[in-house]
Amino acid sequence: MSMLDKLKNLMKGHPDQTRHGVEKAGDAFDARTGNKYQSQVDKAQEKLNDQTGTGRQQRPEDR
């Protein structure tokens, strides 16, 4: 079992906490780098949320 599979199993059933953790980690990285890589961090956060199934749900007004 890969590390990502183990993490997915741990996060299953806790989507809000997972999304919050990804955001917090990205914000901490941005703070440490002075937002130098902010766009790359944002893309990484989106991909992580998509892979873990905690991606942002589109609301009707976002479509």
Side-chain angles (χ1 to χ4, degrees):
M1 182 180 279
S2 72
M3 182 64 127
L4 186 57
D5 290 335
K6 289 180 184 180
L7 286 173
K8 284 182 181 179
N9 286 336
L10 287 172
M11 294 182 278
K12 190 178 265 185
H14 306 285
D16 292 334
Q17 290 174 330
T18 301
R19 189 174 28 259
H20 179 71
V22 169
E23 291 298 318
K24 191 172 182 179
D27 292 345
F29 188 83
D30 280 339
R32 295 282 304 238
T33 61
N35 291 326
K36 185 175 181 179
Y37 305 104
Q38 186 174 12
S39 64
Q40 291 92 336
V41 170
D42 290 343
K43 287 179 187 177
Q45 287 173 317
E46 287 177 25
K47 286 189 183 249
L48 279 170
N49 283 328
D50 289 343
Q51 285 186 353
T52 58
T54 60
R56 183 175 78 97
Q57 300 291 326
Q58 280 193 345
R59 295 176 297 195
E61 62 267 10
D62 289 344
R63 293 183 189 165

